[in-house]
């Protein structure tokens, strides 16, 4: 092939013009074919350009050649430089920029040009000096879709002869034939590099990422996602072999119960995004994953991809449960001290009453005996009510059962009303008698109410209100019961209100913030919702909306 082109160049004056044009076209197509075969064997853009430069230098017997390619990227100044020959490492050539001015010039002068015949002015005038200093004799633009893709430069010929017109025609034919291939190959490599970069990013994401097409077939999965599957399915094939498998195969029901249905809800219910907790089973242990599902629509709303990210929250949930248990025991320890104090008060009352009866009997004062006995009966009734409240509150079982919320509230209030911190506070109740019995964990609801009551008492104490009051209210609303605790204490600042149930946050000097965290956990266990209505200096209302038909 090289010999044939040399022969065309040497014998150009002896060939008819139509024959010359035909041979040049054939040689250009041969060069294009060779380059295409080379790229198909090894789809490497840098290798393609090195072969292209070798073809140029061989075709025209030049001592040096270079090609500059403009990168298709967010940074147009990024360029690729390829060269061969004596001037291959010239910094002047490497630093040639395919500027807008240069692009405008070559779009208007798109044929190969002899450097000594170029007419450049202004900011481009220095380019001629750079080219001449590096013995570049010919330059030709690579133009594709009316854009300057790159620039080709050829050094002087080995035999020192000038380039003939036929050689310029040959160079133009070669460049016109090869430029679309270079452009498409470069775009292909940029897309391949971009895909590889995205895959590298996905593989370094800590969440498992899965992408399913509109037919629920797996399109992509990252390494973390594959590791999640391998945790439960050691027999999985290579990650690449999972592509095009249906969602039911990726998440089989035996290990991932109901995952296929739950994950497909975003598409079936036409939701933009969905966040759910899913459970996977391995032997006797359950693993909990938080799944974020997004539906990305393509041609129309009926064809969408599902992008699913999975985060293992098993350890987090186990820690939350341990913390809840520790909080519960810690709070029971604090309560035990208070209970001991109150029981001692009751015992002191009983002992004092017995001493008074003994004194009255010695004086044969039957009226005094009877009056004291009535007082003791009242004290015993109070103590019985107090201990009954403790029995309801103190159960360790967390299972739910049907119970009367209003009765539970009365029991808890009976428990707190005898405590010192509540003696100067007037406690009101407005309990809706239409509330039916419903499933609840009486232990947890009592603890939630007790925490809210203690917070209300502390808020009243903080504001030094001598006329402090607490209102406990229940209202039936359709399939819900609204339980609220209001006070006329210090109130809550707006920026604090939004964070109370999200961290160990407290506004008390010696507080730890566990109480409201416990309230949040109990509320979640009952599928309830907590709201706070408060203005600083005007008290606060905590409302818990409990579903009557609780779904476990």
């Amino acid at each position: 092939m090289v010999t044939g082109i040399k022969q065309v160049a040497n014998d150009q004056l002896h060939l008819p013009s139509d024959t010359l044009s035909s041979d040049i076209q054939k040689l250009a197509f041969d060069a294009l074919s060779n380059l295409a075969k080379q790229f198909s064997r090894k789809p490497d853009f840098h290798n393609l350009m090195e072969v292209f430069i070798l073809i140029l230098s061989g075709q025209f017997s030049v001592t040096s050649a270079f090609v500059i390619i403009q990168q298709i990227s967010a940074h147009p100044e990024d360029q690729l430089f390829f060269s061969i020959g004596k001037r291959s490492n010239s910094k002047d050539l490497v630093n040639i920029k395919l500027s807008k001015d240069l692009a405008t010039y070559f779009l208007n002068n798109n044929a190969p040009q002899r450097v000594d015949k170029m007419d450049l002015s202004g900011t481009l005038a220095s380019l001629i000096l750079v080219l001449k200093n590096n013995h570049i004799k010919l330059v030709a633009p690579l133009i594709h879709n009316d854009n300057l893709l790159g620039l080709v430069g050829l050094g002087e010929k080995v035999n020192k002869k000038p380039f003939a017109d036929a050689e310029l025609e040959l160079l133009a034919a070669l460049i016109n034939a090869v430029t679309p291939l270079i452009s498409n190959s470069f775009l292909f490599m940029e897309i391949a590099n971009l895909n590889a970069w995205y895959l590298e990013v996905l593989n370094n994401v800590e969440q498992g990422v899965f992408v399913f097409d509109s037919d629920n077939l797996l399109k992509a999965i990252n390494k973390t996602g594959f590791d999640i599957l391998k945790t439960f399915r050691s027999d999985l094939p290579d990650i690449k072999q999972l592509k095009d498998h249906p969602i039911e195969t990726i998440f089989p029901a035996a290990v991932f119960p109901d995952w296929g249905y739950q994950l497909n809800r975003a598409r079936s219910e036409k939701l933009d995004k969905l966040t759910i907790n899913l459970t996977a089973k391995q032997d006797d242990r359950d693993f909990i994953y938080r799944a974020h599902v997004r539906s990305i629509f393509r041609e129309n709303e009926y064809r969408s991809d599902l992008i699913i990210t999975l985060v293992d929250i098993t350890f987090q949930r186990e820690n939350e449960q341990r913390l809840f248990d520790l909080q519960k025991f810690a709070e029971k320890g604090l309560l035990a001290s208070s209970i001991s104090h109150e029981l001692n008060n009751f015992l002191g009352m009983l002992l004092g009453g017995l001493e008074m009866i003994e004194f009255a009997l010695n004086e044969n004062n039957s009226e005094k005996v009877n009056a004291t006995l009535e007082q003791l009966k009242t004290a015993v009734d109070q103590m019985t009510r107090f201990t009954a409240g403790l029995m309801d509150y103190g159960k360790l079982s967390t299972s739910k059962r049907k119970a009367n919320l209003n009765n539970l509230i009365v029991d808890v209030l009976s428990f707190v009303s005898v405590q010192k911190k509540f003696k100067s506070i007037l406690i009101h109740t407005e309990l809706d008698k239409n509330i039916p019995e419903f499933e609840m964990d009486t232990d947890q609801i009592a603890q939630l109410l007790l925490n809210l009551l203690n917070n209300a008492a502390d808020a009243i104490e903080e504001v030094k209100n001598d006329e402090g009051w607490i209102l406990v209210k229940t209202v039936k609303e359709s399939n819900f019961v609204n339980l609220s605790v209001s006070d006329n204490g210090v109130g809550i600042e707006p920026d604090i209100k939004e964070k109370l149930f999200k961290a160990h946050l407290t506004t008390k000097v010696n507080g730890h913030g566990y109480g409201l965290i416990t309230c949040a956990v109990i509320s979640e266990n009952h599928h309830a919702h907590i709201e706070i209505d408060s203005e600083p200096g005007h008290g606060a209302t905590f409302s818990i909306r409990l579903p009557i038909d609780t779904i476990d």
Side-chain angles (χ1 to χ4, degrees), residues 401-466:
R401 62 179 178 84
K402 279 195 172 183
N404 187 298
L405 178 62
N406 289 340
N407 290 344
L408 179 62
I409 292 171
V410 172
D411 288 340
V412 173
L413 292 180
S414 174
F415 163 56
V416 301
S417 62
V418 296
Q419 296 185 27
K420 184 178 179 180
K421 69 189 301 183
F422 291 94
K423 285 185 177 179
S424 60
I425 298 174
L426 187 60
I427 301 179
H428 305 274
T429 59
E430 293 181 13
L431 306 180
D432 190 341
K433 295 180 181 179
N434 295 319
I435 298 174
E437 290 188 348
F438 62 95
E439 295 284 336
M440 72 179 79
D441 187 317
T442 53
D443 181 14
Q444 292 185 3
I445 296 298
Q447 185 173 2
L448 180 149
L449 179 59
L450 188 60
N451 284 336
L452 295 181
L453 290 169
N454 278 321
N455 284 338
D458 292 338
I460 293 170
E461 172 63 25
E462 187 173 347
V463 81
K464 305 297 182 185
N465 192 340
D466 294 331

Coordinates of all heavy atoms in Angstrom, one line a residue, residues 401-466:
R401 N -51.9 -6.1 73.5 CA -53.2 -6.7 73.9 C -54.3 -5.6 73.9 O -54.0 -4.4 73.9 CB -53.2 -7.4 75.3 CG -52.9 -6.4 76.4 CD -52.8 -7.1 77.8 NE -52.5 -6.2 78.8 CZ -53.3 -5.4 79.5 NH1 -54.6 -5.4 79.1 NH2 -53.0 -4.6 80.5
K402 N -55.5 -6.0 73.8 CA -56.6 -5.0 73.9 C -56.7 -4.4 75.3 O -56.7 -5.2 76.3 CB -57.9 -5.7 73.5 CG -58.1 -5.8 72.0 CD -59.6 -6.1 71.6 CE -59.8 -6.0 70.1 NZ -61.2 -6.2 69.7
A403 N -56.8 -3.1 75.3 CA -56.8 -2.5 76.6 C -57.6 -1.1 76.5 O -57.8 -0.6 75.3 CB -55.4 -2.2 77.2
N404 N -58.0 -0.6 77.6 CA -58.7 0.7 77.6 C -57.7 1.8 77.9 O -57.1 1.8 79.0 CB -59.8 0.6 78.7 CG -60.7 1.8 78.6 OD1 -60.3 3.0 78.8 ND2 -62.0 1.6 78.4
L405 N -57.6 2.7 76.9 CA -56.6 3.7 77.1 C -56.9 4.7 78.2 O -56.1 5.1 79.0 CB -56.5 4.5 75.8 CG -55.5 5.7 75.8 CD1 -54.1 5.3 76.0 CD2 -55.6 6.5 74.4
N406 N -58.2 5.0 78.4 CA -58.6 5.9 79.4 C -58.3 5.4 80.8 O -57.8 6.1 81.7 CB -60.1 6.3 79.3 CG -60.4 7.1 78.1 OD1 -59.5 7.8 77.6 ND2 -61.7 7.1 77.7
N407 N -58.6 4.1 81.0 CA -58.2 3.4 82.3 C -56.7 3.5 82.6 O -56.3 3.7 83.7 CB -58.8 2.0 82.3 CG -60.3 1.9 82.4 OD1 -60.9 2.9 82.7 ND2 -60.8 0.8 82.1
L408 N -56.0 3.2 81.5 CA -54.5 3.3 81.6 C -54.0 4.7 82.1 O -53.2 4.8 82.9 CB -53.9 2.8 80.3 CG -52.3 2.8 80.3 CD1 -51.8 1.9 81.3 CD2 -51.8 2.5 78.9
I409 N -54.7 5.7 81.5 CA -54.3 7.1 81.8 C -54.6 7.4 83.3 O -53.8 8.0 84.0 CB -55.0 8.0 80.9 CG1 -54.5 7.9 79.5 CG2 -54.9 9.5 81.4 CD1 -55.3 8.7 78.4
V410 N -55.8 6.9 83.7 CA -56.2 7.1 85.1 C -55.2 6.4 86.1 O -54.8 7.0 87.1 CB -57.6 6.6 85.4 CG1 -58.0 6.6 86.9 CG2 -58.6 7.5 84.6
D411 N -54.8 5.2 85.7 CA -53.8 4.5 86.5 C -52.5 5.3 86.6 O -51.9 5.4 87.7 CB -53.5 3.1 86.0 CG -54.7 2.2 86.2 OD1 -55.6 2.5 87.0 OD2 -54.8 1.2 85.4
V412 N -52.0 5.8 85.5 CA -50.7 6.5 85.5 C -50.8 7.8 86.3 O -49.9 8.1 87.0 CB -50.3 6.8 84.0 CG1 -49.0 7.6 84.0 CG2 -50.0 5.5 83.3
L413 N -51.9 8.5 86.1 CA -52.1 9.7 86.8 C -52.2 9.5 88.3 O -51.8 10.3 89.2 CB -53.4 10.5 86.3 CG -53.3 11.0 84.9 CD1 -54.6 11.7 84.5 CD2 -52.1 12.0 84.8
S414 N -52.9 8.4 88.7 CA -52.9 8.0 90.1 C -51.5 7.8 90.7 O -51.2 8.1 91.8 CB -53.8 6.8 90.3 OG -53.7 6.3 91.6
F415 N -50.7 7.2 89.8 CA -49.3 7.0 90.2 C -48.5 8.3 90.4 O -47.8 8.4 91.4 CB -48.6 6.1 89.1 CG -47.1 6.0 89.2 CD1 -46.5 5.7 90.3 CD2 -46.4 6.4 88.1 CE1 -45.1 5.6 90.3 CE2 -45.0 6.4 88.1 CZ -44.4 6.0 89.2
V416 N -48.7 9.2 89.5 CA -47.8 10.4 89.6 C -48.4 11.4 90.5 O -47.6 12.3 91.1 CB -47.7 11.1 88.2 CG1 -47.0 10.1 87.2 CG2 -49.0 11.6 87.6
S417 N -49.7 11.4 90.8 CA -50.3 12.5 91.6 C -49.8 12.5 93.0 O -49.8 13.6 93.6 CB -51.8 12.3 91.6 OG -52.2 11.1 92.2
V418 N -49.3 11.4 93.5 CA -48.8 11.4 94.9 C -47.3 11.8 95.0 O -46.8 11.9 96.1 CB -49.0 10.0 95.5 CG1 -50.5 9.7 95.6 CG2 -48.3 8.9 94.7
Q419 N -46.7 11.9 93.8 CA -45.3 12.3 93.8 C -45.1 13.8 94.1 O -45.9 14.6 93.8 CB -44.6 12.0 92.5 CG -44.6 10.5 92.1 CD -43.9 10.2 90.8 OE1 -43.0 10.9 90.5 NE2 -44.2 9.1 90.2
K420 N -44.0 14.1 94.8 CA -43.8 15.5 95.3 C -43.8 16.5 94.2 O -44.4 17.6 94.3 CB -42.4 15.5 96.0 CG -42.1 16.8 96.6 CD -40.8 16.7 97.4 CE -40.5 18.1 98.0 NZ -39.2 18.1 98.8
K421 N -43.2 16.2 93.0 CA -43.1 17.2 91.9 C -44.4 17.6 91.3 O -44.6 18.6 90.6 CB -42.2 16.7 90.8 CG -42.7 15.5 90.0 CD -41.6 14.9 89.1 CE -41.0 15.9 88.1 NZ -40.1 15.3 87.2
F422 N -45.5 16.7 91.5 CA -46.8 17.0 91.0 C -47.8 17.5 92.0 O -48.9 17.9 91.6 CB -47.4 15.7 90.4 CG -46.7 15.2 89.1 CD1 -45.7 14.3 89.2 CD2 -47.0 15.7 87.9 CE1 -45.0 13.8 88.1 CE2 -46.4 15.3 86.7 CZ -45.4 14.3 86.8
K423 N -47.4 17.6 93.3 CA -48.4 18.0 94.3 C -48.8 19.4 94.2 O -50.0 19.8 94.6 CB -47.7 17.8 95.7 CG -47.7 16.3 96.1 CD -47.2 16.1 97.5 CE -47.2 14.6 97.9 NZ -46.7 14.4 99.2
S424 N -48.0 20.3 93.6 CA -48.4 21.7 93.5 C -49.0 22.0 92.1 O -49.2 23.1 91.7 CB -47.2 22.6 93.8 OG -46.2 22.3 92.8
I425 N -49.1 20.9 91.3 CA -49.6 21.1 89.9 C -51.1 20.5 89.8 O -51.3 19.4 90.3 CB -48.7 20.4 88.9 CG1 -47.3 21.0 88.9 CG2 -49.3 20.4 87.5 CD1 -46.3 20.2 88.1
L426 N -52.0 21.3 89.2 CA -53.3 20.8 89.0 C -53.4 20.0 87.7 O -53.1 20.6 86.7 CB -54.3 22.1 89.0 CG -55.8 21.8 88.9 CD1 -56.2 21.0 90.2 CD2 -56.5 23.0 88.8
I427 N -53.8 18.8 87.9 CA -53.9 17.9 86.7 C -55.3 17.7 86.3 O -56.2 17.3 87.1 CB -53.2 16.5 87.0 CG1 -51.8 16.7 87.4 CG2 -53.4 15.6 85.8 CD1 -51.1 15.4 87.7
H428 N -55.7 18.1 85.0 CA -57.0 18.0 84.5 C -57.0 16.8 83.5 O -56.0 16.5 82.9 CB -57.4 19.2 83.7 CG -57.4 20.5 84.5 ND1 -58.4 20.9 85.3 CD2 -56.4 21.4 84.6 CE1 -58.0 22.1 85.9 NE2 -56.8 22.4 85.4
T429 N -58.2 16.2 83.3 CA -58.4 15.2 82.3 C -59.7 15.5 81.5 O -60.7 16.0 82.0 CB -58.5 13.8 82.9 OG1 -59.6 13.7 83.8 CG2 -57.2 13.4 83.6
E430 N -59.6 15.3 80.2 CA -60.8 15.3 79.3 C -60.7 14.0 78.5 O -60.0 14.0 77.4 CB -60.8 16.5 78.4 CG -60.9 17.8 79.2 CD -60.9 19.0 78.3 OE1 -61.1 18.8 77.0 OE2 -60.8 20.2 78.7
L431 N -61.3 13.0 78.9 CA -61.2 11.7 78.3 C -62.5 11.3 77.6 O -63.6 11.3 78.1 CB -60.9 10.6 79.4 CG -59.7 10.9 80.3 CD1 -59.5 9.8 81.3 CD2 -58.4 11.1 79.5
D432 N -62.3 11.0 76.3 CA -63.4 10.7 75.4 C -63.9 9.3 75.7 O -63.2 8.3 75.6 CB -63.0 10.8 73.9 CG -64.1 10.6 73.0 OD1 -65.2 10.2 73.4 OD2 -64.0 11.0 71.8
K433 N -65.2 9.2 76.2 CA -65.8 7.9 76.6 C -66.1 7.0 75.4 O -66.4 5.8 75.6 CB -67.0 8.1 77.4 CG -66.8 8.9 78.7 CD -68.0 9.0 79.5 CE -67.8 9.8 80.8 NZ -69.0 10.0 81.6
N434 N -66.0 7.5 74.2 CA -66.4 6.7 73.0 C -65.2 5.9 72.5 O -65.3 5.3 71.4 CB -66.9 7.6 71.9 CG -68.2 8.3 72.3 OD1 -69.1 7.6 72.9 ND2 -68.4 9.6 72.0
I435 N -64.0 6.0 73.1 CA -62.9 5.3 72.7 C -63.0 3.8 73.0 O -63.1 3.5 74.2 CB -61.6 5.9 73.3 CG1 -61.4 7.3 72.8 CG2 -60.4 5.1 72.9 CD1 -60.3 8.0 73.5
P436 N -63.0 2.9 72.0 CA -63.1 1.5 72.3 C -61.7 0.9 72.8 O -60.7 1.6 72.7 CB -63.5 0.9 71.0 CG -62.8 1.8 70.0 CD -62.8 3.2 70.6
E437 N -61.8 -0.3 73.3 CA -60.5 -0.9 73.6 C -59.8 -1.2 72.2 O -60.4 -1.6 71.2 CB -60.7 -2.2 74.3 CG -61.2 -2.0 75.8 CD -61.2 -3.4 76.5 OE1 -61.1 -4.4 75.9 OE2 -61.4 -3.3 77.7
F438 N -58.5 -1.1 72.2 CA -57.7 -1.5 71.0 C -56.3 -2.0 71.4 O -55.9 -1.9 72.5 CB -57.6 -0.3 70.0 CG -56.9 0.9 70.6 CD1 -55.5 1.1 70.3 CD2 -57.5 1.8 71.4 CE1 -54.8 2.2 70.8 CE2 -56.8 2.9 71.9 CZ -55.5 3.1 71.6
E439 N -55.7 -2.6 70.4 CA -54.4 -3.3 70.6 C -53.3 -2.2 71.0 O -53.1 -1.3 70.3 CB -53.9 -4.0 69.4 CG -54.8 -5.2 69.0 CD -54.6 -6.4 69.9 OE1 -53.5 -6.5 70.5 OE2 -55.5 -7.2 70.1
M440 N -52.7 -2.5 72.1 CA -51.5 -1.6 72.5 C -50.6 -2.4 73.5 O -51.1 -3.4 74.1 CB -52.1 -0.3 73.2 CG -52.6 -0.5 74.6 SD -53.2 1.0 75.4 CE -54.8 1.2 74.6
D441 N -49.4 -1.9 73.6 CA -48.5 -2.3 74.7 C -48.7 -1.4 75.8 O -48.2 -0.3 75.8 CB -47.1 -2.3 74.1 CG -46.1 -3.0 75.1 OD1 -46.2 -2.7 76.3 OD2 -45.2 -3.7 74.7
T442 N -49.4 -1.8 76.8 CA -49.8 -0.9 78.0 C -48.5 -0.5 78.7 O -48.5 0.7 79.2 CB -50.7 -1.6 79.0 OG1 -50.2 -2.9 79.3 CG2 -52.1 -1.9 78.3
D443 N -47.5 -1.3 78.8 CA -46.2 -1.0 79.4 C -45.6 0.2 78.7 O -45.3 1.2 79.3 CB -45.3 -2.2 79.3 CG -44.0 -1.9 80.0 OD1 -43.8 -0.9 80.7 OD2 -43.0 -2.7 79.8
Q444 N -45.5 0.1 77.4 CA -44.9 1.2 76.6 C -45.7 2.5 76.6 O -45.2 3.6 76.7 CB -44.6 0.7 75.2 CG -43.6 -0.4 75.1 CD -43.2 -0.7 73.6 OE1 -43.7 -0.1 72.7 NE2 -42.4 -1.8 73.5
I445 N -47.1 2.4 76.4 CA -47.9 3.6 76.4 C -47.9 4.3 77.7 O -47.8 5.5 77.8 CB -49.4 3.2 76.0 CG1 -49.4 2.7 74.6 CG2 -50.3 4.4 76.2 CD1 -49.0 3.6 73.6
A446 N -47.8 3.5 78.8 CA -47.7 4.1 80.2 C -46.4 4.8 80.3 O -46.3 5.9 80.9 CB -47.8 3.0 81.3
Q447 N -45.3 4.2 79.8 CA -44.0 4.8 79.9 C -44.0 6.1 79.0 O -43.4 7.1 79.5 CB -42.9 3.9 79.4 CG -41.5 4.4 79.5 CD -40.5 3.4 79.2 OE1 -40.8 2.3 78.8 NE2 -39.2 3.8 79.4
L448 N -44.6 6.1 77.9 CA -44.7 7.3 77.0 C -45.4 8.4 77.8 O -44.9 9.5 77.8 CB -45.4 6.9 75.7 CG -45.6 8.0 74.7 CD1 -45.5 7.4 73.3 CD2 -46.9 8.8 74.9
L449 N -46.6 8.1 78.3 CA -47.3 9.1 79.1 C -46.6 9.6 80.3 O -46.6 10.8 80.5 CB -48.7 8.5 79.5 CG -49.6 9.4 80.3 CD1 -50.0 10.7 79.5 CD2 -50.9 8.7 80.7
L450 N -45.9 8.7 81.0 CA -45.2 9.1 82.2 C -44.0 10.1 81.8 O -43.8 11.1 82.5 CB -44.6 7.9 82.9 CG -44.0 8.1 84.3 CD1 -45.0 8.7 85.2 CD2 -43.4 6.8 84.8
N451 N -43.4 9.8 80.7 CA -42.3 10.7 80.2 C -42.8 12.1 79.9 O -42.2 13.1 80.2 CB -41.6 10.1 79.0 CG -40.6 9.0 79.4 OD1 -40.2 8.9 80.5 ND2 -40.4 8.1 78.5
L452 N -44.0 12.1 79.2 CA -44.5 13.4 78.8 C -45.0 14.2 80.1 O -44.9 15.4 80.1 CB -45.7 13.2 77.9 CG -45.4 12.6 76.5 CD1 -46.6 12.5 75.6 CD2 -44.3 13.4 75.8
L453 N -45.6 13.5 81.0 CA -46.0 14.1 82.3 C -44.8 14.7 83.0 O -44.8 15.8 83.6 CB -46.8 13.1 83.1 CG -48.2 12.7 82.6 CD1 -48.7 11.5 83.4 CD2 -49.1 13.9 82.7
N454 N -43.7 13.9 83.1 CA -42.5 14.4 83.8 C -41.9 15.6 83.1 O -41.5 16.6 83.7 CB -41.5 13.3 83.9 CG -41.7 12.3 85.0 OD1 -42.1 12.7 86.1 ND2 -41.5 11.0 84.8
N455 N -41.9 15.6 81.8 CA -41.4 16.7 81.0 C -42.3 18.0 81.3 O -41.8 19.1 81.4 CB -41.4 16.4 79.5 CG -40.2 15.5 79.2 OD1 -39.3 15.4 79.9 ND2 -40.3 14.8 78.0
A456 N -43.6 17.8 81.3 CA -44.5 18.9 81.6 C -44.3 19.5 83.0 O -44.2 20.7 83.2 CB -46.0 18.4 81.5
A457 N -44.1 18.6 84.0 CA -43.8 19.1 85.3 C -42.5 19.8 85.4 O -42.4 20.9 86.1 CB -43.8 17.9 86.3
D458 N -41.5 19.3 84.7 CA -40.2 20.0 84.7 C -40.3 21.4 84.0 O -39.7 22.4 84.4 CB -39.2 19.2 83.9 CG -38.8 17.9 84.7 OD1 -39.0 17.9 85.9 OD2 -38.3 16.9 84.1
A459 N -41.1 21.4 82.9 CA -41.3 22.7 82.2 C -42.0 23.7 83.1 O -41.7 24.9 83.1 CB -42.1 22.5 80.9
I460 N -43.0 23.3 83.9 CA -43.7 24.2 84.8 C -42.7 24.6 85.9 O -42.7 25.8 86.3 CB -44.9 23.5 85.4 CG1 -45.9 23.2 84.3 CG2 -45.5 24.3 86.6 CD1 -47.1 22.3 84.7
E461 N -41.9 23.7 86.4 CA -41.0 24.0 87.5 C -39.9 25.0 87.0 O -39.5 26.0 87.7 CB -40.3 22.8 88.0 CG -39.1 23.0 88.9 CD -39.5 23.6 90.2 OE1 -40.7 23.5 90.6 OE2 -38.6 24.3 90.9
E462 N -39.5 24.9 85.7 CA -38.5 25.8 85.1 C -39.0 27.2 85.0 O -38.2 28.2 85.2 CB -38.1 25.3 83.8 CG -36.9 26.0 83.2 CD -36.4 25.4 81.9 OE1 -36.8 24.3 81.6 OE2 -35.6 26.1 81.2
V463 N -40.3 27.4 84.8 CA -40.8 28.7 84.6 C -41.3 29.3 86.0 O -41.7 30.5 86.0 CB -42.0 28.8 83.6 CG1 -43.3 28.3 84.2 CG2 -42.1 30.1 82.9
K464 N -41.2 28.5 87.0 CA -41.5 28.9 88.4 C -43.0 29.4 88.5 O -43.3 30.4 89.1 CB -40.6 30.0 88.9 CG -39.1 29.7 88.8 CD -38.8 28.5 89.8 CE -37.3 28.2 89.7 NZ -36.9 27.0 90.5
N465 N -43.9 28.6 87.8 CA -45.3 29.0 87.8 C -46.0 28.4 89.0 O -46.1 27.2 89.2 CB -45.9 28.4 86.5 CG -47.3 29.0 86.2 OD1 -47.9 29.5 87.1 ND2 -47.7 28.9 85.0
D466 N -46.5 29.3 89.9 CA -47.2 28.8 91.1 C -48.6 28.3 90.8 O -49.2 27.7 91.7 CB -47.3 30.0 92.1 CG -46.0 30.4 92.6 OD1 -45.1 29.6 92.6 OD2 -45.8 31.6 92.9

